[in-house]
Amino acid sequence: MKHRRLSRKKGLSPAVVPMYLWTILFVAIPLIYILGMSFLKKAETWGVVMEFSLESYQGIFNPTYLKVFGQSLLIAFLTTCITLLLGYPFAYFTAKLPKKWRSIVLLLLIVPFWTNSLVRIYGWIILLQGNGVINSVLLSLGIVDAPLKMLYSFGSVLVGMVYALMPFMVLTIYNSVEKLDWSVVEAARDLGAGKWRAFLTTTLPLTMPGIMAGCVLVFVPSVGLFFISDLMGGGKIMLLGNLIKNELLSAHNWPMGAALSMVMMAVTLLLLYLYKRVSGEKSLEGLL
């Protein structure tokens, strides 16, 4: 009884203790370990030298690394824009469907993602390769004289990113549109606003939290999805996730890999902070 009273006074429920332990063991401690690793020196052969150094953070400004950063941000930005342009109309019209058809459409959106992501990406490779389905159809119809080079390019990586991350954009926007108070839109129409003006002045601002959440959920992963770049880019398109993987597994430069990981974490936290400021919310519940 005494323990329960103390827990209530401190505002700590016994039910949340496992959550705190999980967070400390699997989030806080690994992050502290990576942060500490980023300030050490790389050993000549293997491992690290237990000596404080800023070499890894200074090395980030290497033109090669900066180019990878720029390319990663560009792909993330384009992926976010494309998924928004395609996902908003899809989510909007899905939310306006009858409940029966709405459930079917959402199920069709989610079902492919019950399959392993690598299998789905290999499916795209089969479609886009020189003797794949798309080239075969184009050749048989006489649209092209020779197979198009669609695979192992910037465009193919972008296609893979959009395909992999589209549901995150659609589902967050759908959640906002479904909760929309349509009486506000009707009021705007009654006051003389046309369809497009009512959409731009009422519907779009009211669904902005879903748009912002979708953009964050798409932008952040697209910076580090290295397996899509490896498979559909043929190793020609280097992203931040690929760079971290190579530094850790190939170059065995653990401090550099840790430093790059911390930079990636900082970018993620910055985006979450901007989302919180723009959306005007006191918490990040919109991302859940």
Side-chain angles (χ1 to χ4, degrees):
M1 292 293 293
K2 186 177 180 181
H3 174 71
R4 290 182 180 178
R5 288 176 183 175
L6 288 173
S7 298
R8 288 176 182 175
K9 287 181 180 180
K10 294 180 180 180
L12 179 63
S13 171
V16 302
V17 172
M19 182 186 69
Y20 281 112
L21 291 175
W22 177 276
T23 303
I24 292 171
L25 290 174
F26 298 104
V27 178
I29 293 178
L31 283 178
I32 293 172
Y33 174 78
I34 293 173
L35 179 62
M37 179 72 70
S38 67
F39 289 105
L40 299 178
K41 278 187 175 182
K42 177 184 180 297
E44 294 183 3
T45 55
W46 184 275
V48 296
V49 177
M50 301 301 291
E51 181 181 339
F52 180 83
S53 174
L54 294 175
E55 288 181 2
S56 297
Y57 288 98
Q58 293 171 350
I60 291 175
F61 295 96
N62 184 298
T64 302
Y65 290 160
L66 292 178
K67 181 181 178 181
V68 173
F69 272 102
Q71 190 165 249
S72 301
L73 294 176
L74 177 61
I75 285 186
F77 175 75
L78 292 176
T79 301
T80 304
C81 291
I82 294 172
T83 52
L84 177 59
L85 291 174
L86 297 177
Y88 193 97
F90 185 91
Y92 180 84
F93 290 112
T94 299
K96 299 191 73 174
L97 289 173
K99 189 173 181 180
K100 176 183 176 181
W101 291 105
R102 194 188 315 165
S103 301
I104 293 174
V105 171
L106 291 176
L107 181 63
L108 293 174
L109 176 69
I110 296 172
V111 161
F113 293 85
W114 293 352
T115 308
N116 187 278
S117 56
L118 288 175
V119 175
R120 290 184 279 112
I121 293 301
Y122 273 112
W124 273 104
I125 292 174
I126 294 172
L127 289 173
L128 297 176
Q129 62 187 0
N131 58 348
V133 176
I134 296 177
N135 270 317
S136 298
V137 172
L138 294 176
L139 288 170
S140 62
L141 295 176
I143 298 176
V144 295
D145 298 327
L148 298 176
K149 183 175 176 53
M150 294 182 287
L151 199 57
Y152 307 136
S153 63
F154 185 92
S156 62
V157 174
L158 191 59
V159 168
M161 290 287 186
V162 171
Y163 171 74
L165 299 172
M166 177 68 77
F168 294 101
M169 183 67 74
V170 172
L171 292 176
T172 50
I173 295 176
Y174 167 81
N175 187 48
S176 288
V177 176
E178 188 186 30
K179 295 178 180 179
L180 185 64
D181 186 0
W182 293 101
S183 62
V184 179
V185 181
E186 293 175 3
R189 296 293 303 277
D190 292 338
L191 292 173
K195 289 184 178 180
W196 282 106
R197 188 173 182 183
F199 173 80
L200 294 174
T201 57
T202 56
T203 304
L204 191 61
L206 290 174
T207 56
M208 191 57 69
I211 294 174
M212 295 300 301
C215 289
V216 172
L217 290 175
V218 170
F219 189 94
V220 172
S222 58
V223 176
L225 284 179
F226 62 88
F227 74 95
I228 294 180
S229 176
D230 280 345
L231 295 176
M232 301 192 70
K236 299 177 182 178
I237 308 298
M238 180 73 70
L239 301 182
L240 184 55
N242 302 91
L243 186 59
I244 294 172
K245 183 197 72 170
N246 291 343
E247 291 293 338
L248 293 174
L249 302 181
S250 300
H252 303 297
N253 191 345
W254 298 348
M256 178 58 74
L260 292 169
S261 299
M262 294 309 301
V263 171
M264 189 173 178
M265 181 67 68
V267 171
T268 302
L269 293 176
L270 176 61
L271 289 173
L272 293 177
Y273 173 76
L274 293 176
Y275 165 77
K276 182 179 178 181
R277 290 296 300 270
V278 173
S279 63
E281 296 179 8
K282 295 181 180 180
S283 66
L284 296 176
E285 294 178 358
L287 291 176
L288 302 178

